[in-house]
Amino acid sequence: MKTLGDLRVRAEVVRALGPRVAWRFRSLNAEAERLRGAREPIYRRLWDEAASEVGATVRDLGSGFLELRLEGRATRVRQELVDIDSQAAITLSFDKTLVHRLLTAEGLSVPEHVEAGDADALLREGAVVVKPADGTGIGAGVTGSVRTAGQLAVARAAARRYGPRVLVERAVPGEVYRFLLLDGQLLDVVRRGRPAVTGDGRSTIVELVAQENRRRLEAAGEDGLSLVRPDLDFVYTLQAAGRSPRSVPADGERVAVKTVTNQNRAGENATVRDTSPELAAEAAAAARVVGLRLAGVDVIAPTLDRSLAESGGVVLEVNCTPGLHHHYLVADREGATRVAVPILRALVG
Ligand SMILES: Nc1ncnc2c1ncn2[C@@H]1O[C@H](COP(=O)(O)OP(=O)(O)O)[C@@H](O)[C@H]1O
Ligand SMILES: [Mg+2]
């Protein structure tokens, strides 16, 4: 059922896009669903490769489940779902406000935030990010580059579609990095660039986004498993940069179109090899505090060559059942870290 809040969000997006352009994106959900279908073969390939590396056999159980077996030990996986963490740790990790509190108590920096308190005070000092406080992932209901009280109200409505609790955070500048940890060991780090388009001097930003989505559909998942949604985050991110969805970037000009990184393309992800040991230890501490053995710790930092305490970076969130494809679908595919190998060893080794 559509609520008044839904309509408010929709009206804001349609107003910025223009009704004709908004109508052209009507098939986006069906297309996104089609692209999601590409996840299964990509994960199949990744697990097959890991199994051959560790000498395990693979049995297809159907419905996307694989059974991986090495000598007497067997495990079952389904894409990124693995049998490693407890249900309690997984559920706890979804509560972003609680996780912020636990991380802070451990001495780790998190973005300044309020859940129930006065978010206007935070807004007066600069842009904020508004998100569901509990139970979501993949950027659902997250709106960045929120700068006015009016935008804050609409962004709250967008987050409330996913649940009653809403978290407002200081927008932290800098790049977003995914640290993948297993039992305290850092398996890989990927830099995740914000979704961007490159101008041709003729097309509007929304047209460039439509072209980008077409390319991703044609690549059948190999250039990323999501599409760029022209949503509230898109509208406010462009507004903050003094643009509109209908402006025309110059030929060759690169424009970041979202603050939320989740819908970027594979080519915007890069494997990072030189992370300071102090920073790796902070990421491991974040995973431990949440109680996850396998964790995707998201960090925003100006540099990875020193600890967060020194660089002024933050731990943004600690993800359970982290997507393994982020580590494979990167700009340099040959140089990607085969993270499924140590994970499979932990399961059946
Ligand atoms: N406080 C913040 N400052 C800057 N960017 C943010 C902030 N919070 C979220 N983001 C961006 O939005 C994305 C999604 O937010 P996140 O809290 O990770 O939600 P989800 O659990 O849905 O992935 C992040 O990966 C990041 O790109
Ligand atoms: Mg996230």
Side-chain angles (χ1 to χ4, degrees), residues 93-94 96 100 110-113 127-132 135-145 167-178 192-195 233 258-263 298-300 314-319:
S93 75
F94 278 118
K96 290 182 159 73
H100 279 346
V110 302
E112 240 186 302
H113 61 281
V128 297
V129 178
V130 181
K131 55 179 83 169
T136 56
I138 61 167
V142 183
T143 306
S145 301
L167 182 61
V168 181
E169 291 178 355
R170 157 81 46 244
V172 182
E175 299 261 29
V176 181
Y177 297 91
R178 162 61 57 90
R192 305 194 63 200
R194 298 209 151 82
D233 178 60
K258 302 201 93 172
T259 302
V260 174
T261 44
N262 301 63
Q263 289 162 8
D298 287 338
V299 161
I300 299 189
V314 296
V315 175
L316 198 58
E317 47 152 16
V318 179
N319 294 280

